[in-house]
Amino acid sequence: MLRGRERQRVAVDALVDRARVGRGGAIVVHGEMGAGKTALLDAIQDSYDALLSVEVDEIDDELLQLARDVERTRAALVIATEGAPRGLPGIALDPLDAATSVRVLHDLVPGLPATLAADLTDLACGNPLALVELAGSLTSAQLGGIAPAPERLPESSALRQRWRARFDALSPEARHVVALAAVDEEIDPETLDLAAVAEAGPLFDSRRLVRSALLADVPRELLRHAHATLAETLPPGARRTWHQAVTAHDEQLADVLTAHAEHARRCGDFARAARDHDRAASLTTDPEHKAHNLLKAAADHWAHGAPHRARGVLRLATRMTHTPELKALMDLVVGGIDLGESLPDVAADRLIRAAKGLVGSRRAMAVAALGFAGEAASIAGDLRRYTAVAEFAEHIREPDEPAATRLTLDHLTGMLATFEGRHLEALPALRTVVDLAEQVPGPQARIWASQAAYVLGDATRSHEMATSAVTAARESGFTALVPWALVYRALSALLLDQHAAALNAATEGVHAATAIGQHNAVVDHLTILALLAALRGDTDIALERIDTATEQITQRGLIRPSTFGAWASACVDLARDRPADALDRLRLNPGHAGIKVMAAPQVVEAAVACGRPSTGDRALQPYEKWAGTTGSTARLALSHRCHGLLESGTADEHFEEAIRLHRASGTALELAKTELLYGNRLRRGRKPKAAREHLRDAVRIFQSYQADHWVDRARAELRAAGDSTEPKDHPGLTPQQAQIARLVAEGATNREVAARLFLSHRTVEHHLRNIFARLGVRSRVELTRRLD
C-alpha cells in the first residue's frame, strides 16, 4: 500500500505539473474494493488545483474519450476504478503486506493482542477497509482472548453488502461459478463457463476474505449444488472426496480424507495436509477423533508457517478432549509456536510439560519436545531451565537410542556442558551430533549439527550443515524451520569471515521470519545484522537495527538476542573510541552465557584501553579454554591477539602467532584488526617502520571489505607512523551499499529500500549519495545503466 500511495503521489505531482503548462492528461488509480481509492481521491483533490477526479467500477468509452480530451489542456484527470486502466497510465494500489496490516490494526485498536492481530491480518488479505471493519467488530471476549477471532467480516460490513448486491445482480450462470469458487479455492476458471467467470469478476476469488463472506451470504441451495457438481466432475482425489462427503453427509469419508492428508504431509505439502485434516475433522462427530484430526491440522499449519491458523485450530481442539496424550501433543505444538513468537520461558515450560506427558507413549516426540525446550531456554538465556531440560533428557536416555533421538539428547548434553564451561566434556557429545546428522533425514537434525559444529569451531562444517538445513526445510515444506536454519547460516558465515554471505543470510532470515510471524527469529536476525554492521564499523546502521529490535527484546525477555545486541553495541563503542562504555555494556549485561564468552575479545580490547587489564584477563580465561579445547584456528587467533594486548614481554610473539593463525583460518577482516592493533602498539613502542608494514596490510584488507571506518582508522595510524603517501579513492561498494544499489536499480524507491533492509529513509538517502559519488553517476538512470 505504501508503494501504491507513494508512486501515486509522485505520478499525480508530475501530471499536475504538466497540466499547468498546457500538457494535461489522465492517470488511473486501480485496486480492489476497499483498497483505499476513495481516500486517496479525497486527499489529492484537496491538494491540487487544475485537477478532476472520478471513481467508477469500469472505465467506459465515454470516460476514455474524456481522458483523451484533457490531453494538451491545463486540466488533469484522475480516475479511480476496480477495473483495468484500458491503456491509460495506471498506478496499482496493492494489498497491504502483513507487517503493515499489523501496524494498521494496532493504530485502530491500541494494545491489540499479537495473536489476534495475526488472525485478523490473515483474514483481511491486505484489504485496508476489511482491517477497519474487522477491528471495529471485535468484542470484549475476543479482545480478552476468551472468544475466538472472527472467521469472516461482520454482517454489517460495507464490503459484504457490496458483494451481496453484486451477487444478486448476476445471471444464474455467474452465480453458479461464484458458488463453485466459494466452496473450492482451487477451482480452475479454465474448466468453467468463461463468460460467467468474467461476469462474476471480483467475486470469483480464491482468497479467504471473499470466500468466507460468500459462504455466509450465498444461498444454501446454491452452495449444495456447487458441492454436488464438483463431487461429480472432479478427478479422484482429496478435493473430490471432500465434496462427496459434504453432498452425501458421509462421515465415513473422513478416514479417506485423513489418508490423503497423511500422503500430502509425506510429500512435504503441509498446506494441503492441514486443509484435509481440517476437513476430516469437520466431518467427524466423535469429540476425541475430531480433536485428533484438528491437532494434526494445527501441526501442519505450524510446519507450513501459519502459526496463527494453528492456534485457531488448537483453541477448538482443546475443548474437545481430556486425553493426557492429546493434551501433551497440543502442548508440543503450542510450545513450538510460542518458541517463534511468544515468551521463550513460557514456551520452555510448556515443552517440558509436553515431554513429560509423552515420554511413556510417544518417546520420539518427547525427545523432540525437549530439543525445542532447550532452544527456548537458550533464547531466554535461562541456564537453570536449560539444565532442567538436559537433566531430564539424561534421565530418559536408553542404552540403544535410535540415531534421531540420540542426536537430540547428545545435543542437549553437549550444549549444557558448553554453557557451564565444561568444554572437554562437551566435545564427544557435540562431535556425535555432527556425525549422526548424516544418518538422520530432515532439516532439524542439520540445524542441531550446525549449532554443534559452530560451538566446536568448525565453521565450514557448520555452514555446510546450515545451508543443507535451509534447503531441506524448503524442499520438505517445513517452512517453520527456515528462519532458524538461517540463523546458523549467518553465524557460520560470520565465523568464516564471509560478511556478504552472512549479510544475505540474516537479511533473508528477517524476511522469512516476518512472513510467517516468527517475531523472536526476526529479532535474532536483526541483532546478527547489527553485529555484522558494527564489526565493519557501520555504527549508525548497527544502532538502528539494535533500536528496532530492543522493544521486542524487552517485551519477550529475549536474552540471547539481547546479548548479541550488547555485543554489537560494544563494537560500536569501540569503533567510536568509547572503551569504558563498551566494557560496562559487556560486563554489566547479565546476558547469555555462551555469547558472553564469544564476546571476550572485545572485553579485552576495551579493558586494555581503559587501563584495566585484570578485567580483560578474567574475561579471556573462559574464552581461551573454549578455543583451546575445540582447536578452532580462528578463535585461537583471537586468543593470541588478546594476549598480545594484555602482555608486555611476549606481546610480539602473540601478535605474530595471531596473524599466522588468522591467515591459516582465512579470517581476513579480523587479521586486519589484529594488524591495526599490533601496528598501533609498534608505533607507540617507537618501531614506526615495522608498524607501517602491518598498517599498510590493514588498510588494504579493510578496503577489500569496504570497511570505510576502519580504512580511515588505519590510515590515521599510518600517518602517525610517518607514512605520508596520499591514498587513492577506492571505487568499490560496501555489501550494504551494493544491496541498496541493486534495489534502486530494480526500481525501488528510497522508502521501499528502507523497509526492505530495515533502515531509516534518511540512512538510505545518505548511502545513495555515497554510492553515486563512488560510482561516478548522477542519477538513478545512470546507476541502473552502470549496474546492468
Side-chain angles (χ1 to χ4, degrees), residues 205-325:
D205 195 319
S206 63
R207 292 177 304 162
R208 184 184 171 205
L209 177 67
V210 182
R211 289 183 61 250
S212 62
L214 291 173
L215 285 170
D217 294 337
V218 171
R220 298 295 95 187
E221 62 272 15
L222 288 181
L223 295 177
R224 284 194 294 271
H225 179 52
H227 279 297
T229 299
L230 293 170
E232 293 177 359
T233 59
L234 285 175
R239 289 170 62 207
R240 182 173 182 174
T241 300
W242 163 243
H243 295 297
Q244 287 174 334
V246 173
T247 302
H249 304 286
D250 188 350
E251 183 177 340
Q252 294 182 351
L253 288 174
D255 291 337
V256 180
L257 277 174
T258 300
H260 284 300
E262 296 297 336
H263 176 73
R265 181 185 280 185
R266 288 192 297 272
C267 294
D269 192 344
F270 287 98
R272 185 161 296 189
R275 181 202 68 186
D276 292 339
H277 275 132
D278 210 352
R279 287 175 172 177
S282 71
L283 296 172
T284 307
T285 55
D286 176 70
E288 289 293 322
H289 193 191
K290 182 186 284 286
H292 199 259
N293 276 321
L294 288 171
L295 173 62
K296 289 180 178 180
D300 293 331
H301 279 307
W302 170 69
H304 176 57
H308 47 285
R309 294 191 182 182
R311 284 190 189 277
V313 173
L314 284 170
R315 279 195 293 267
L316 180 60
T318 301
R319 299 193 294 268
M320 295 183 175
T321 182
H322 296 287
T323 303
E325 182 181 296

Side-chain angles (χ1 to χ4, degrees), residues 306-482:
H308 47 285
R309 294 191 182 182
R311 284 190 189 277
V313 173
L314 284 170
R315 279 195 293 267
L316 180 60
T318 301
R319 299 193 294 268
M320 295 183 175
T321 182
H322 296 287
T323 303
E325 182 181 296
L326 281 182
K327 288 288 189 182
L329 287 169
M330 290 176 187
D331 277 337
L332 173 55
V333 178
V334 175
I337 297 170
D338 286 344
L339 177 61
E341 66 176 32
S342 193
L343 301 174
D345 53 351
V346 173
D349 290 345
R350 187 184 292 274
L351 288 161
I352 293 170
R353 187 172 72 193
K356 291 179 177 178
L358 293 170
V359 70
S361 57
R362 300 202 179 194
R363 194 167 177 283
M365 288 192 172
V367 172
L370 287 174
F372 287 126
E375 178 67 8
S378 179
I379 293 173
D382 192 333
L383 185 58
R384 179 188 63 81
R385 274 191 174 90
Y386 201 100
T387 301
V389 173
E391 288 179 348
F392 184 64
E394 280 302 306
H395 175 70
I396 67 170
R397 187 188 287 270
E398 294 181 350
D400 298 318
E401 288 285 350
T405 53
R406 184 184 174 194
L407 183 151
T408 303
L409 296 172
D410 280 355
H411 182 268
L412 290 167
T413 299
M415 292 305 297
L416 176 61
T418 297
F419 293 153
E420 292 182 340
R422 298 180 284 111
H423 300 295
L424 274 175
E425 295 177 43
L427 286 182
L430 295 177
R431 286 170 179 163
T432 298
V433 172
V434 177
D435 292 339
L436 286 176
E438 297 291 350
Q439 305 172 31
V440 180
Q444 184 62 70
R446 284 155 177 74
I447 292 174
W448 293 143
S450 178
Q451 186 177 6
Y454 181 82
V455 172
L456 291 169
D458 189 345
T460 300
R461 192 75 175 128
S462 178
H463 195 258
E464 288 172 353
M465 281 293 177
T467 301
S468 177
V470 173
T471 302
R474 286 178 171 147
E475 289 180 348
S476 66
F478 217 131
T479 307
L481 297 183
V482 171

Side-chain angles (χ1 to χ4, degrees), residues 624-648:
E624 186 174 31
K625 183 180 177 183
W626 177 39
T629 303
T630 61
S632 167
T633 308
R635 290 173 182 151
L636 286 171
L638 293 174
S639 179
H640 279 286
R641 181 171 85 191
C642 291
H643 277 292
L645 290 169
L646 288 166
E647 299 175 15
S648 54

